[in-house]
Amino acid sequence: VTGVVVSTGSEPGAEAAAGPPPRRVGIVGSGLIGASIGLALRSRGVEVLLSDVDAEQVKVAEAMGAGRLWAGEPVEHAVIAVPPHAVAGELRRLRRAGLANTVSDVASVKTKPIAEAVRAGCDLTSWCPAHPIAGRERGGAASARADLFVERTWVLCPLPHTSAQAVAATAAVALACGAQPIRTSARRHDRAMALLSHLPQVVASLLAAAIPDLDAADLALAGQGFRDTTRLADSDPGLWGSILEGNRGPVAARSRLLAADLVRLAEVLESGSADAAADAVRGVVARGNAARTRLPSKHGTPERAWAWVGVVLADRPGQLGSLFTSIGRWGVNVEDIAAFEHSLDSPAGIVEIAVAPDVADDLLDRLGAGGWTAYRRS
Ligand SMILES: NC(=O)c1ccc[n+]([C@@H]2O[C@H](COP(=O)([O-])OP(=O)(O)OC[C@H]3O[C@@H](n4cnc5c(N)ncnc54)[C@H](O)[C@@H]3O)[C@@H](O)[C@H]2O)c1
Protein backbone atom coordinates (compact mmCIF):
# COMPACT_ATOMS: atom_id res chain seq x y z
CA VAL A 1 0.00 0.00 0.00
CA THR A 2 1.30 3.43 -0.79
CA GLY A 3 -0.01 6.74 0.35
CA VAL A 4 0.72 10.06 1.86
CA VAL A 5 0.47 11.71 5.21
CA VAL A 6 -2.65 13.85 4.95
CA SER A 7 -2.50 15.52 8.31
CA THR A 8 -0.03 17.77 9.97
CA GLY A 9 0.06 19.15 13.49
CA SER A 10 -2.52 17.79 15.87
CA GLU A 11 -5.50 17.42 13.52
CA PRO A 12 -6.31 13.68 13.26
CA GLY A 13 -5.91 12.40 9.73
CA ALA A 14 -5.19 9.27 7.72
CA GLU A 15 -1.63 8.15 7.52
CA ALA A 16 -0.34 5.60 5.05
CA ALA A 17 2.95 3.79 4.76
CA ALA A 18 5.14 4.11 1.76
CA GLY A 19 6.31 0.54 1.71
CA PRO A 20 5.94 -3.08 2.80
CA PRO A 21 6.18 -4.09 6.48
CA PRO A 22 9.64 -4.53 8.00
CA ARG A 23 11.04 -7.99 7.25
CA ARG A 24 11.93 -8.78 10.85
CA VAL A 25 9.99 -7.37 13.82
CA GLY A 26 10.76 -7.85 17.51
CA ILE A 27 7.96 -7.73 20.06
CA VAL A 28 8.54 -6.76 23.68
CA GLY A 29 5.59 -7.97 25.75
CA SER A 30 3.89 -11.01 24.22
CA GLY A 31 0.47 -10.62 25.87
CA LEU A 32 -2.83 -9.94 24.13
CA ILE A 33 -1.67 -7.07 21.93
CA GLY A 34 1.93 -8.22 21.34
CA ALA A 35 0.93 -11.78 20.40
CA SER A 36 -1.96 -10.51 18.23
CA ILE A 37 0.48 -8.30 16.30
CA GLY A 38 2.80 -11.32 16.01
CA LEU A 39 0.00 -13.49 14.59
CA ALA A 40 -1.06 -10.79 12.11
CA LEU A 41 2.51 -10.13 10.93
CA ARG A 42 3.34 -13.85 10.63
CA SER A 43 0.31 -14.26 8.34
CA ARG A 44 1.94 -11.62 6.10
CA GLY A 45 5.24 -13.53 6.04
CA VAL A 46 7.08 -11.20 8.46
CA GLU A 47 9.67 -12.85 10.72
CA VAL A 48 8.55 -12.16 14.32
CA LEU A 49 10.73 -12.44 17.45
CA LEU A 50 9.00 -12.52 20.83
CA SER A 51 10.06 -11.53 24.34
CA ASP A 52 8.33 -11.00 27.69
CA VAL A 53 9.33 -10.80 31.35
CA ASP A 54 6.93 -13.74 31.76
CA ALA A 55 8.45 -16.69 29.84
CA GLU A 56 5.06 -18.46 29.89
CA GLN A 57 3.56 -15.75 27.65
CA VAL A 58 6.29 -16.26 25.05
CA LYS A 59 5.70 -20.03 25.12
CA VAL A 60 1.95 -19.62 24.58
CA ALA A 61 2.44 -16.99 21.85
CA GLU A 62 5.03 -19.20 20.13
CA ALA A 63 2.73 -22.24 20.27
CA MET A 64 -0.05 -20.16 18.71
CA GLY A 65 2.21 -19.26 15.78
CA ALA A 66 2.90 -15.62 16.72
CA GLY A 67 6.68 -15.93 16.23
CA ARG A 68 9.73 -17.39 17.96
CA LEU A 69 11.77 -16.52 21.05
CA TRP A 70 13.83 -13.33 20.63
CA ALA A 71 17.37 -14.28 21.61
CA GLY A 72 18.88 -10.84 21.05
CA GLU A 73 19.03 -10.78 17.24
CA PRO A 74 18.85 -7.31 15.65
CA VAL A 75 15.47 -6.42 14.12
CA GLU A 76 14.33 -3.78 11.66
CA HIS A 77 11.50 -2.63 13.89
CA ALA A 78 10.51 -3.37 17.50
CA VAL A 79 7.00 -3.04 18.96
CA ILE A 80 6.83 -2.41 22.71
CA ALA A 81 3.56 -3.99 23.91
CA VAL A 82 3.89 -3.71 27.69
CA PRO A 83 1.76 -1.72 30.21
CA PRO A 84 2.14 2.07 29.79
CA HIS A 85 4.31 2.58 32.89
CA ALA A 86 6.94 0.14 31.48
CA VAL A 87 7.23 1.68 27.99
CA ALA A 88 10.02 4.21 28.66
CA GLY A 89 12.19 1.62 30.45
CA GLU A 90 11.88 -0.85 27.56
CA LEU A 91 12.56 1.89 25.03
CA ARG A 92 15.78 2.79 26.77
CA ARG A 93 16.81 -0.86 27.12
CA LEU A 94 16.23 -1.55 23.41
CA ARG A 95 18.19 1.51 22.38
CA ARG A 96 21.11 0.72 24.69
CA ALA A 97 21.28 -2.82 23.31
CA GLY A 98 21.12 -1.39 19.78
CA LEU A 99 18.64 -4.08 18.77
CA ALA A 100 16.15 -2.17 16.59
CA ASN A 101 16.45 0.44 13.84
CA THR A 102 13.04 1.86 14.68
CA VAL A 103 10.61 1.34 17.55
CA SER A 104 6.91 1.88 18.21
CA ASP A 105 4.75 1.14 21.23
CA VAL A 106 1.05 0.35 21.62
CA ALA A 107 0.27 1.89 25.01
CA SER A 108 -3.27 3.16 25.55
CA VAL A 109 -1.98 6.49 26.89
CA LYS A 110 0.62 8.58 25.14
CA THR A 111 1.53 11.81 26.97
CA LYS A 112 2.92 10.22 30.13
CA PRO A 113 5.13 7.54 28.51
CA ILE A 114 6.50 10.28 26.22
CA ALA A 115 7.31 12.50 29.21
CA GLU A 116 8.97 9.54 30.94
CA ALA A 117 11.01 8.72 27.84
CA VAL A 118 12.18 12.32 27.59
CA ARG A 119 13.15 12.32 31.29
CA ALA A 120 14.96 8.98 30.88
CA GLY A 121 17.02 10.48 28.03
CA CYS A 122 15.73 7.96 25.43
CA ASP A 123 16.54 8.45 21.76
CA LEU A 124 13.36 10.01 20.39
CA THR A 125 14.24 9.97 16.70
CA SER A 126 13.81 6.23 16.23
CA TRP A 127 10.55 6.00 18.25
CA CYS A 128 7.03 6.53 16.95
CA PRO A 129 4.53 6.47 19.87
CA ALA A 130 1.38 4.64 18.69
CA HIS A 131 -1.82 2.97 19.88
CA PRO A 132 -3.96 0.42 18.03
CA ILE A 133 -7.59 1.03 18.97
CA ALA A 134 -8.53 -2.63 19.29
CA GLY A 135 -8.50 -5.01 22.18
CA ARG A 136 -10.38 -7.39 24.39
CA GLU A 137 -11.30 -7.56 28.07
CA ARG A 138 -9.14 -10.67 28.54
CA GLY A 139 -5.38 -10.17 28.45
CA GLY A 140 -2.54 -12.63 27.88
CA ALA A 141 -1.17 -14.36 24.78
CA ALA A 142 -3.90 -17.00 24.97
CA SER A 143 -6.49 -14.33 24.08
CA ALA A 144 -4.55 -13.16 21.00
CA ARG A 145 -6.27 -13.02 17.61
CA ALA A 146 -4.68 -12.53 14.18
CA ASP A 147 -7.66 -10.42 13.05
CA LEU A 148 -7.83 -8.20 16.15
CA PHE A 149 -6.80 -5.07 14.22
CA VAL A 150 -8.64 -5.61 10.95
CA GLU A 151 -10.45 -2.40 9.92
CA ARG A 152 -9.52 -0.79 13.24
CA THR A 153 -7.76 2.51 13.75
CA TRP A 154 -4.05 2.54 14.68
CA VAL A 155 -3.16 5.95 16.09
CA LEU A 156 0.33 7.35 15.44
CA CYS A 157 1.52 10.24 17.64
CA PRO A 158 4.98 11.04 16.24
CA LEU A 159 7.06 13.60 18.11
CA PRO A 160 8.77 16.50 16.35
CA HIS A 161 11.97 14.44 16.72
CA THR A 162 10.53 11.20 15.26
CA SER A 163 12.22 10.25 11.98
CA ALA A 164 10.20 9.69 8.81
CA GLN A 165 11.65 6.16 8.78
CA ALA A 166 10.17 5.38 12.23
CA VAL A 167 6.76 6.78 11.21
CA ALA A 168 6.79 4.78 7.96
CA ALA A 169 7.77 1.52 9.70
CA THR A 170 5.02 1.97 12.31
CA ALA A 171 2.39 2.75 9.68
CA ALA A 172 3.57 -0.27 7.66
CA VAL A 173 3.14 -2.56 10.69
CA ALA A 174 -0.36 -1.14 11.26
CA LEU A 175 -1.34 -1.67 7.62
CA ALA A 176 0.11 -5.20 7.62
CA CYS A 177 -2.14 -5.96 10.63
CA GLY A 178 -5.15 -4.79 8.58
CA ALA A 179 -5.58 -1.49 10.48
CA GLN A 180 -5.90 2.09 9.25
CA PRO A 181 -3.11 4.33 10.57
CA ILE A 182 -4.27 7.78 11.71
CA ARG A 183 -1.97 10.53 12.91
CA THR A 184 -2.77 12.86 15.78
CA SER A 185 -1.02 14.49 18.74
CA ALA A 186 -0.44 12.69 22.03
CA ARG A 187 -2.40 15.28 23.98
CA ARG A 188 -5.37 15.13 21.64
CA HIS A 189 -5.26 11.30 21.71
CA ASP A 190 -5.31 11.21 25.52
CA ARG A 191 -8.17 13.72 25.75
CA ALA A 192 -10.27 11.67 23.32
CA MET A 193 -9.40 8.36 24.98
CA ALA A 194 -10.48 9.72 28.38
CA LEU A 195 -14.01 9.90 26.97
CA LEU A 196 -14.01 7.05 24.49
CA SER A 197 -12.19 4.39 26.51
CA HIS A 198 -11.03 5.34 30.00
CA LEU A 199 -14.26 6.78 31.44
CA PRO A 200 -16.31 3.92 29.89
CA GLN A 201 -14.00 1.47 31.67
CA VAL A 202 -14.54 3.20 35.01
CA VAL A 203 -18.31 3.42 34.53
CA ALA A 204 -18.61 -0.24 33.47
CA SER A 205 -16.55 -1.35 36.48
CA LEU A 206 -18.56 0.78 38.93
CA LEU A 207 -21.86 -0.43 37.46
CA ALA A 208 -20.79 -4.06 37.84
CA ALA A 209 -19.39 -3.36 41.30
CA ALA A 210 -22.92 -2.47 42.49
CA ILE A 211 -24.01 -6.11 42.04
CA PRO A 212 -23.23 -7.20 45.63
CA ASP A 213 -26.22 -5.08 46.70
CA LEU A 214 -28.42 -7.77 45.12
CA ASP A 215 -28.95 -11.38 46.19
CA ALA A 216 -28.91 -14.39 43.83
CA ALA A 217 -32.67 -14.26 43.18
CA ASP A 218 -32.47 -10.62 42.11
CA LEU A 219 -29.40 -11.27 39.95
CA ALA A 220 -31.44 -13.73 37.89
CA LEU A 221 -33.15 -10.60 36.53
CA ALA A 222 -29.96 -9.33 34.89
CA GLY A 223 -30.76 -8.70 31.24
CA GLN A 224 -28.70 -8.17 28.11
CA GLY A 225 -28.58 -4.43 28.78
CA PHE A 226 -26.70 -4.99 32.02
CA ARG A 227 -24.39 -7.51 30.37
CA ASP A 228 -23.68 -5.14 27.46
CA THR A 229 -23.00 -2.09 29.60
CA THR A 230 -20.73 -4.01 32.02
CA ARG A 231 -18.75 -6.04 29.43
CA LEU A 232 -15.62 -3.99 30.09
CA ALA A 233 -15.81 -4.80 33.80
CA ASP A 234 -13.99 -8.08 32.99
CA SER A 235 -10.80 -6.11 32.23
CA ASP A 236 -7.48 -6.62 33.99
CA PRO A 237 -7.16 -4.33 37.09
CA GLY A 238 -3.35 -4.19 36.85
CA LEU A 239 -3.29 -3.00 33.25
CA TRP A 240 -6.08 -0.47 33.78
CA GLY A 241 -4.37 0.89 36.89
CA SER A 242 -1.39 1.68 34.65
CA ILE A 243 -3.59 3.16 31.87
CA LEU A 244 -5.74 5.42 34.05
CA GLU A 245 -2.87 6.55 36.24
CA GLY A 246 -1.24 7.61 32.96
CA ASN A 247 -4.21 9.83 31.98
CA ARG A 248 -5.31 11.18 35.34
CA GLY A 249 -6.12 14.81 34.45
CA PRO A 250 -8.50 14.23 31.51
CA VAL A 251 -10.19 11.26 33.22
CA ALA A 252 -10.67 13.19 36.48
CA ALA A 253 -12.17 16.18 34.64
CA ARG A 254 -14.61 13.99 32.72
CA SER A 255 -15.51 11.97 35.83
CA ARG A 256 -16.53 15.20 37.57
CA LEU A 257 -18.76 16.25 34.67
CA LEU A 258 -20.42 12.83 34.59
CA ALA A 259 -20.88 12.85 38.37
CA ALA A 260 -22.49 16.31 38.18
CA ASP A 261 -24.91 15.04 35.50
CA LEU A 262 -25.83 12.05 37.68
CA VAL A 263 -26.35 14.21 40.76
CA ARG A 264 -28.61 16.61 38.80
CA LEU A 265 -30.70 13.68 37.58
CA ALA A 266 -30.87 12.12 41.05
CA GLU A 267 -32.10 15.42 42.52
CA VAL A 268 -34.95 15.74 40.02
CA LEU A 269 -35.91 12.09 40.49
CA GLU A 270 -35.93 12.53 44.25
CA SER A 271 -37.86 15.76 44.57
CA GLY A 272 -39.09 17.02 41.18
CA SER A 273 -42.69 16.75 39.96
CA ALA A 274 -43.70 13.74 37.85
CA ASP A 275 -43.44 15.92 34.72
CA ALA A 276 -40.03 17.28 35.70
CA ALA A 277 -38.69 13.77 36.44
CA ALA A 278 -39.96 12.36 33.13
CA ASP A 279 -38.60 15.44 31.30
CA ALA A 280 -35.18 15.03 32.89
CA VAL A 281 -34.98 11.38 31.90
CA ARG A 282 -36.21 12.14 28.37
CA GLY A 283 -33.50 14.79 28.14
CA VAL A 284 -30.77 12.38 29.22
CA VAL A 285 -31.89 9.62 26.84
CA ALA A 286 -32.36 12.07 23.93
CA ARG A 287 -28.86 13.48 24.49
CA GLY A 288 -27.51 9.93 24.32
CA ASN A 289 -29.52 9.17 21.15
CA ALA A 290 -28.25 12.31 19.44
CA ALA A 291 -24.65 11.75 20.50
CA ARG A 292 -24.52 8.18 19.22
CA THR A 293 -25.62 9.23 15.72
CA ARG A 294 -22.27 11.03 15.50
CA LEU A 295 -20.28 7.81 15.84
CA PRO A 296 -18.75 6.86 12.50
CA SER A 297 -19.67 3.44 11.14
CA LYS A 298 -17.21 1.10 9.43
CA HIS A 299 -17.82 3.03 6.17
CA GLY A 300 -17.15 6.36 7.83
CA THR A 301 -20.81 7.40 7.56
CA PRO A 302 -23.02 8.07 10.61
CA GLU A 303 -24.31 4.79 12.08
CA ARG A 304 -27.97 5.79 11.87
CA ALA A 305 -27.78 6.33 8.11
CA TRP A 306 -29.09 2.74 7.87
CA ALA A 307 -32.64 1.65 8.59
CA TRP A 308 -32.89 -1.31 10.95
CA VAL A 309 -35.36 -4.09 10.26
CA GLY A 310 -35.98 -6.75 12.91
CA VAL A 311 -37.15 -10.24 11.97
CA VAL A 312 -38.58 -12.85 14.36
CA LEU A 313 -37.08 -16.28 13.74
CA ALA A 314 -38.74 -19.53 14.78
CA ASP A 315 -36.43 -21.89 16.66
CA ARG A 316 -36.04 -24.27 13.70
CA PRO A 317 -32.90 -25.27 11.82
CA GLY A 318 -32.18 -23.25 8.69
CA GLN A 319 -34.21 -20.13 9.58
CA LEU A 320 -31.30 -17.70 9.31
CA GLY A 321 -30.09 -19.28 6.07
CA SER A 322 -33.53 -19.08 4.49
CA LEU A 323 -33.99 -15.46 5.62
CA PHE A 324 -30.71 -14.32 4.08
CA THR A 325 -31.32 -16.33 0.91
CA SER A 326 -34.66 -14.52 0.46
CA ILE A 327 -33.15 -11.10 1.16
CA GLY A 328 -30.38 -11.84 -1.36
CA ARG A 329 -32.94 -12.94 -3.96
CA TRP A 330 -34.77 -9.62 -3.55
CA GLY A 331 -31.51 -7.83 -4.28
CA VAL A 332 -31.36 -6.08 -0.89
CA ASN A 333 -27.87 -5.40 0.42
CA VAL A 334 -27.38 -6.19 4.14
CA GLU A 335 -25.12 -3.44 5.55
CA ASP A 336 -24.85 -4.71 9.10
CA ILE A 337 -26.36 -7.25 11.47
CA ALA A 338 -27.12 -6.54 15.12
CA ALA A 339 -26.76 -9.00 18.01
CA PHE A 340 -28.86 -12.07 17.49
CA GLU A 341 -31.25 -12.08 20.46
CA HIS A 342 -32.34 -15.48 21.63
CA SER A 343 -33.79 -16.41 24.97
CA LEU A 344 -33.16 -19.96 26.16
CA ASP A 345 -36.77 -20.26 27.28
CA SER A 346 -38.33 -18.83 24.14
CA PRO A 347 -39.06 -20.76 20.96
CA ALA A 348 -38.17 -17.65 18.92
CA GLY A 349 -35.22 -15.33 18.40
CA ILE A 350 -34.73 -11.98 16.68
CA VAL A 351 -32.15 -10.80 14.18
CA GLU A 352 -31.88 -7.12 13.24
CA ILE A 353 -30.60 -6.14 9.82
CA ALA A 354 -29.38 -2.73 8.63
CA VAL A 355 -30.36 -1.74 5.10
CA ALA A 356 -30.42 1.47 3.06
CA PRO A 357 -33.39 3.57 4.30
CA ASP A 358 -35.02 3.72 0.85
CA VAL A 359 -35.37 -0.10 0.62
CA ALA A 360 -36.58 -0.72 4.19
CA ASP A 361 -40.33 -0.38 3.52
CA ASP A 362 -40.13 -2.61 0.46
CA LEU A 363 -38.15 -5.17 2.47
CA LEU A 364 -40.78 -5.12 5.25
CA ASP A 365 -43.55 -5.71 2.67
CA ARG A 366 -41.67 -8.59 1.08
CA LEU A 367 -40.87 -10.15 4.45
CA GLY A 368 -44.54 -9.90 5.50
CA ALA A 369 -45.68 -11.44 2.21
CA GLY A 370 -43.12 -14.19 2.68
CA GLY A 371 -44.60 -15.15 6.06
CA TRP A 372 -41.96 -13.52 8.27
CA THR A 373 -42.86 -11.36 11.26
CA ALA A 374 -40.80 -8.22 10.78
CA TYR A 375 -40.76 -4.69 12.18
CA ARG A 376 -38.88 -1.47 11.67
CA ARG A 377 -36.72 -0.50 14.62
CA SER A 378 -37.29 3.12 15.62
N1 LIG B 1 -6.01 -4.75 26.17
C1 LIG B 1 -6.43 -3.88 25.30
O1 LIG B 1 -7.61 -3.87 24.96
C2 LIG B 1 -5.44 -2.91 24.67
C3 LIG B 1 -5.77 -2.28 23.47
C4 LIG B 1 -4.85 -1.43 22.87
C5 LIG B 1 -3.62 -1.19 23.49
N2 LIG B 1 -3.35 -1.80 24.68
C6 LIG B 1 -2.04 -1.53 25.27
O2 LIG B 1 -1.23 -2.64 24.94
C7 LIG B 1 -0.24 -2.84 25.96
C8 LIG B 1 -0.27 -4.30 26.38
O3 LIG B 1 -1.57 -4.62 26.81
P1 LIG B 1 -2.15 -6.11 26.71
O4 LIG B 1 -3.63 -5.98 26.69
O5 LIG B 1 -1.45 -6.87 25.64
O6 LIG B 1 -1.73 -6.66 28.14
P2 LIG B 1 -1.24 -8.13 28.53
O7 LIG B 1 -1.24 -8.16 30.01
O8 LIG B 1 -2.02 -9.16 27.80
O9 LIG B 1 0.25 -8.16 27.99
C9 LIG B 1 1.27 -7.34 28.50
C10 LIG B 1 2.52 -8.21 28.59
O10 LIG B 1 3.63 -7.38 28.87
C11 LIG B 1 4.50 -8.13 29.73
N3 LIG B 1 5.41 -7.19 30.38
C12 LIG B 1 5.14 -6.35 31.39
N4 LIG B 1 6.23 -5.60 31.65
C13 LIG B 1 7.18 -5.99 30.77
C14 LIG B 1 8.52 -5.58 30.53
N5 LIG B 1 9.06 -4.59 31.24
N6 LIG B 1 9.20 -6.20 29.55
C15 LIG B 1 8.64 -7.19 28.82
N7 LIG B 1 7.38 -7.62 29.00
C16 LIG B 1 6.66 -7.01 29.96
C17 LIG B 1 3.58 -8.88 30.64
O11 LIG B 1 4.22 -10.01 31.21
C18 LIG B 1 2.45 -9.26 29.68
O12 LIG B 1 2.66 -10.54 29.11
C19 LIG B 1 -0.59 -1.87 27.08
O13 LIG B 1 0.25 -0.74 27.01
C20 LIG B 1 -2.02 -1.45 26.78
O14 LIG B 1 -2.29 -0.13 27.23
C21 LIG B 1 -4.20 -2.67 25.27
Side-chain angles (χ1 to χ4, degrees):
V1 179
T2 58
V4 291
V5 175
V6 298
S7 91
T8 54
S10 61
E11 194 63 25
E15 167 92 50
R23 281 186 302 271
R24 183 191 265 181
V25 170
I27 293 181
V28 182
S30 304
L32 168 66
I33 301 297
S36 295
I37 294 171
L39 287 172
L41 293 180
R42 286 294 306 125
S43 75
R44 296 288 310 275
V46 176
E47 184 183 359
V48 177
L49 304 179
L50 302 163
S51 67
D52 200 296
V53 285
D54 177 356
E56 199 66 32
Q57 296 302 317
V58 175
K59 268 193 209 145
V60 173
E62 231 179 332
M64 290 172 73
R68 66 178 169 83
L69 179 67
W70 191 356
E73 303 91 322
V75 295
E76 268 180 56
H77 183 80
V79 181
I80 300 178
V82 303
H85 68 267
V87 168
E90 288 308 310
L91 188 63
R92 193 170 54 166
R93 193 185 58 76
L94 276 174
R95 202 56 206 168
R96 285 201 171 153
L99 290 182
N101 297 344
T102 54
V103 183
S104 59
D105 71 286
V106 298
S108 309
V109 287
K110 304 279 34 114
T111 313
K112 193 167 184 207
I114 290 171
E116 286 168 350
V118 170
R119 265 202 307 278
C122 295
D123 165 45
L124 303 178
T125 55
S126 58
W127 177 38
C128 181
H131 174 209
I133 313 280
R136 308 183 69 192
E137 305 80 75
R138 303 281 178 193
S143 303
R145 297 284 179 275
D147 62 357
L148 192 64
F149 310 105
V150 172
E151 289 186 23
R152 299 309 179 97
T153 299
W154 198 301
V155 183
L156 274 57
C157 303
L159 303 164
H161 324 66
T162 306
S163 68
Q165 194 195 0
V167 175
T170 308
V173 166
L175 286 167
C177 290
Q180 175 63 47
I182 299 276
R183 182 193 282 225
T184 190
S185 75
R187 195 171 298 280
R188 193 165 177 148
H189 166 277
D190 285 3
R191 266 205 325 260
M193 282 299 124
L195 263 179
L196 298 173
S197 170
H198 306 164
L199 194 58
Q201 176 63 56
V202 172
V203 170
S205 297
L206 289 175
L207 268 181
I211 279 185
D213 293 352
L214 299 177
D215 64 22
D218 289 334
L219 282 178
L221 307 181
Q224 199 55 41
F226 185 79
R227 290 173 204 281
D228 289 347
T229 49
T230 56
R231 180 176 59 82
L232 296 174
D234 284 340
S235 295
D236 173 21
L239 176 61
W240 278 92
S242 180
I243 293 172
L244 267 96
E245 193 283 315
N247 199 19
R248 288 178 190 209
V251 177
R254 286 296 171 176
S255 299
R256 280 192 186 283
L257 290 176
L258 183 67
D261 260 348
L262 281 172
V263 168
R264 257 196 305 278
L265 181 64
E267 283 169 357
V268 180
L269 291 177
E270 261 164 18
S271 49
S273 65
D275 281 350
D279 264 359
V281 174
R282 271 195 291 271
V284 165
V285 175
R287 270 168 66 197
N289 291 162
R292 265 181 60 83
T293 61
R294 299 192 56 219
L295 282 177
S297 72
K298 59 182 173 171
H299 302 294
T301 52
E303 197 173 302
R304 298 276 170 94
W306 308 127
W308 285 89
V309 171
V311 186
V312 180
L313 302 175
D315 192 13
R316 282 199 305 271
Q319 283 274 289
L320 256 188
S322 114
L323 173 66
F324 284 109
T325 306
S326 298
I327 293 175
R329 217 176 33 237
W330 300 329
V332 175
N333 197 32
V334 174
E335 305 292 349
D336 205 349
I337 301 171
F340 180 70
E341 299 270 349
H342 194 279
S343 154
L344 286 180
D345 301 331
S346 159
I350 284 177
V351 64
E352 291 189 328
I353 296 159
V355 295
D358 56 336
V359 303
D361 287 338
D362 182 49
L363 176 61
L364 277 170
D365 289 346
R366 286 176 183 268
L367 285 166
W372 299 94
T373 302
Y375 59 90
R376 183 152 182 178
R377 192 173 90 185
S378 57

